[in-house]
Amino acid sequence: MILELLNQFMPAEVAFYVELVIIAVVYLGVFALLGLFLVWMERRVAGFFQLRLGPNRRGPSGLFQTVADALKLVSKELTATEGRDKFLHGIAPYFVIVAALMALSLIPFSAELQAFDINLGVFFVTAVTSIEVVGIFLAGWASNNKYSLIGGMRSGIQMISYELSIGMTIVTMTVLAGTIQLSEIVEMQRGGWFIWTGHIPAFIGFMVFMIAGTAESNRTPFDLVEAESELGAGFHSEYSGMGFAYFFLAEFVNMFIISAMAVTLFFGGWLLPFEIGADIPFVGAIIFVVKTLSVVFLMMWFRWTFPRLRIDQLLTLEWKYLIPISMVNIVVMAILVWLGLTF
Amino acid sequence: MSYFKDIFNAVKTLLTGMKITGRYFFVNLFTRRDVITVQYPDNIDTLKMHDRFRGEVIMGHDENNMHQCDACTICENACPNGTIEIIWDKEKNPETGKTQKVLLNHIYHLEMCTMCGECIEACPSDAIEWGQNFHHVTRDRSNLTKSLNRPESILNPNFVKSKK
């Protein structure tokens, strides 16, 4: 759409690159706004859960509180420990933030609003989000701080383990959908969301996906990577100012990405049930964002309810429970699809 | 079999927890009924601290500007860090003709006070008590040295030493 507009008054090659730049800038803006909004939402929701009000002074309902916090972080001095690995310490936040940005570019906000619709969609998202663990591990290693290193090690264990059950759940849903292109997965759900058409295995898959997704985005009850009470702040304890802000924003955007994937795979993306208001432009994007924020709220609900797991409990949960369940789940789903028992 | 029982119990207990916190959330989202924090600078006129709040040590005076301190200095001795200084004199009581101690100045150094409450517990005549004020910010620390008895105040002749 933008490309056609640009083609009218500049040569085709130039227009192509200009379009790339425009989309990149738009996504960077969306990324920052999304991060700020989610941080505000987290604090506000946490307030209500704990019988408080949360931020309520700057702007309507305290909406600009996080903007003020971000400005503070931008203006802060960048400090660092002695004996750190300068290069790795500097580059680590960019691994995390670039991984989150690349995954964000694949999220199908609506039929028109998707920057990068490749036929490997789901696979690409899982591949890109696992780059993030490299950034967190580098941050822990390069900080020259034992607590950071423990945090980084734990993130390695945790994110690589839970990637398995996320992957298997995605395979389960792929069996049902018959495609791994994100926009087509949504189109397949025009007759009914997968959580309905796939009934039992899809529901089990959703539960496994939410547990593993919470662990993937390093949130409580799986926040062993940060573990304020034992590790300070874990892998990012030696970052200040923007370095810290990158990790912080990326964490929240990752939560959004996990929720967006859950909405795409289970809750019909930009579609309402029974095709109400299906193809009005931009309504789809609003529906998608509302659905995603509901799933984000579910993750916040987990955070303010459950206590943190110990590392051995974490691994028991993954290897003894989630992986066997999701393996059986794939088989059940395959049999259901084979016998045509889906709705 | 206990494997499936564990999974079932785990899901059940997790949902129980989520039910409780979810009730907190939605009640507060729609009614703000249970919010226990206060909006501090806005409610400064109506703010009432709870009874056990320790803001500062004050001396109670009745409507005739009378207090109950007979300058026994038990509070001065009870204070672990020298916060209280009592300046007193001996005067002849016109009614009974006995000489007795009279309080001239009950000096309270708020800047040294740790709000431990030893003085108030030790006081045999309930002359000093906890005040609710917590607006102690000042530019000069000499403002924190206070005289607890009001000027021209006298000892209440009718008070009874209740404790000890």
Side-chain angles (χ1 to χ4, degrees):
Chain A
M1 196 173 71
I2 305 167
L3 191 60
E4 286 161 13
L5 197 72
L6 289 174
N7 268 331
Q8 289 167 2
F9 50 90
M10 57 178 77
E13 299 92 41
V14 182
F16 178 69
Y17 288 109
V18 170
E19 190 202 14
L20 288 187
V21 170
I22 288 175
I23 290 177
V25 169
V26 166
Y27 265 82
L28 278 174
V30 167
F31 186 89
L33 285 180
L34 199 62
L36 291 177
F37 176 77
L38 287 171
V39 174
W40 169 81
M41 182 175 161
E42 167 90 53
R43 292 175 60 183
R44 194 82 177 147
V45 167
F48 288 135
F49 271 122
Q50 299 176 340
L51 307 181
R52 296 183 286 116
L53 288 177
N56 55 11
R57 292 304 161 102
R58 295 282 85 82
S61 293
L63 255 177
F64 301 142
Q65 179 67 47
T66 46
V67 179
D69 287 346
L71 283 176
K72 185 202 80 175
L73 282 175
V74 171
S75 61
K76 271 187 131 175
E77 184 193 357
L78 292 171
T79 59
T81 41
E82 270 177 39
R84 76 201 157 119
D85 190 324
K86 253 186 188 164
F87 176 67
L88 293 183
H89 192 264
I91 208 171
Y94 296 98
F95 272 96
V96 177
I97 206 153
V98 166
L101 255 177
M102 280 167 84
L104 193 67
S105 72
L106 275 117
I107 301 298
F109 286 99
S110 79
E112 305 87 31
L113 222 68
Q114 186 181 10
F116 190 39
D117 189 19
I118 48 170
N119 55 4
L120 280 172
V122 179
F123 183 67
F124 190 82
V125 171
T126 42
V128 158
T129 45
S130 54
I131 292 176
E132 202 184 314
V133 69
V134 178
I136 290 178
F137 196 71
L138 282 184
W141 173 255
S143 290
N144 192 26
N145 173 337
K146 58 181 177 248
Y147 298 116
S148 298
L149 183 58
I150 293 171
M153 288 298 203
R154 284 182 177 181
S155 91
I157 294 169
Q158 177 180 329
M159 293 173 86
I160 289 170
S161 311
Y162 278 83
E163 212 124 79
L164 284 171
S165 49
I166 277 209
M168 290 210 206
T169 319
I170 287 175
V171 170
T172 313
M173 299 318 289
T174 315
V175 169
L176 182 58
T179 173
I180 53 173
Q181 185 171 354
L182 282 164
S183 56
E184 274 186 33
I185 288 180
V186 178
E187 284 300 324
M188 291 286 292
Q189 302 179 53
R190 213 165 262 284
W193 299 353
F194 278 163
I195 193 125
W196 169 247
T197 53
H199 49 94
I200 298 166
F203 188 71
I204 294 171
F206 175 65
M207 279 168 56
V208 173
F209 189 88
M210 283 315 290
I211 295 170
T214 316
E216 267 292 284
S217 50
N218 290 331
R219 289 178 57 78
T220 324
F222 302 99
D223 66 339
L224 293 150
V225 178
E226 288 168 32
E228 290 92 346
S229 50
E230 28 191 292
L231 299 182
F235 66 93
H236 60 53
S237 50
E238 299 301 344
Y239 282 87
S240 70
M242 278 318 281
F244 168 73
Y246 284 157
F247 281 119
F248 199 59
L249 285 184
E251 186 193 322
F252 279 89
V253 173
N254 274 323
M255 179 170 72
F256 184 86
I257 289 166
I258 295 281
S259 308
M261 286 300 289
V263 167
T264 312
L265 289 173
F266 298 97
F267 294 106
W270 63 81
L271 300 169
L272 279 176
F274 313 115
E275 305 196 31
I276 308 159
D279 292 313
I280 313 163
F282 299 111
V283 170
I286 294 169
I287 293 168
F288 185 85
V289 170
V290 168
K291 277 182 188 174
T292 308
L293 289 182
S294 321
V295 181
V296 166
F297 170 72
L298 190 65
M299 288 172 86
M300 289 178 179
W301 196 343
F302 292 160
R303 172 164 184 176
W304 298 107
T305 306
F306 304 140
R308 187 189 300 139
L309 271 72
R310 224 166 43 214
I311 189 85
D312 61 321
Q313 292 169 332
L314 180 94
L315 293 177
T316 309
L317 175 67
E318 167 66 11
W319 292 100
K320 281 191 177 168
Y321 291 92
L322 292 187
I323 286 192
I325 287 172
S326 46
M327 276 175 163
V328 171
N329 208 21
I330 294 179
V331 177
V332 172
M333 181 61 98
I335 291 171
L336 285 184
V337 171
W338 179 42
L339 298 175
L341 288 177
T342 52
F343 289 119
Chain B
M1 222 36 226
S2 70
Y3 180 81
F4 295 104
K5 211 171 152 188
D6 281 352
I7 295 174
F8 180 76
N9 276 333
V11 173
K12 198 177 127 193
T13 45
L14 290 182
L15 287 179
T16 313
M18 284 180 71
K19 203 174 88 185
I20 292 169
T21 49
R23 200 177 63 227
Y24 286 150
F25 176 81
F26 287 106
V27 165
N28 280 314
L29 182 64
F30 295 120
T31 68
R32 311 276 154 93
R33 195 185 66 203
D34 294 341
V35 171
I36 50 174
T37 49
V38 294
Q39 298 297 297
Y40 165 57
D42 302 341
N43 69 348
I44 196 156
D45 297 328
T46 57
L47 182 64
K48 174 89 176 67
M49 300 303 294
H50 36 92
D51 295 338
R52 300 199 306 180
F53 181 72
R54 297 177 172 192
E56 60 179 344
V57 175
I58 57 171
M59 181 177 285
H61 289 71
D62 65 7
E63 64 273 11
N64 300 323
N65 208 11
M66 289 174 176
H67 57 75
Q68 302 186 358
C69 180
D70 61 348
C72 65
T73 69
I74 286 178
C75 54
E76 185 175 359
N77 294 332
C79 183
N81 43 0
T83 302
I84 294 173
E85 286 175 51
I86 292 176
I87 299 171
W88 51 273
D89 200 2
K90 276 189 171 155
E91 245 177 46
K92 196 169 224 180
N93 192 318
E95 283 176 29
T96 57
K98 287 180 189 167
T99 51
Q100 64 178 50
K101 275 181 177 176
V102 169
L103 179 70
L104 296 182
N105 206 352
H106 190 294
I107 298 170
Y108 170 55
H109 294 278
L110 179 59
E111 75 271 25
M112 290 196 279
C113 183
T114 58
M115 312 289 165
C116 67
E118 295 281 341
C119 52
I120 290 168
E121 271 179 40
C123 182
S125 44
D126 291 330
I128 48 177
E129 60 199 27
W130 284 117
Q132 306 278 306
N133 178 29
F134 57 91
H135 296 111
H136 297 311
V137 178
T138 175
R139 291 256 169 204
D140 187 354
R141 65 188 305 177
S142 66
N143 294 339
L144 294 171
T145 302
K146 299 175 179 185
S147 178
L148 290 189
N149 55 327
R150 289 191 200 142
E152 307 293 322
S153 64
I154 53 163
L155 178 63
N156 188 344
N158 302 321
F159 93 97
V160 190
K161 275 200 175 187
S162 56
K163 286 186 279 182
K164 289 161 203 159

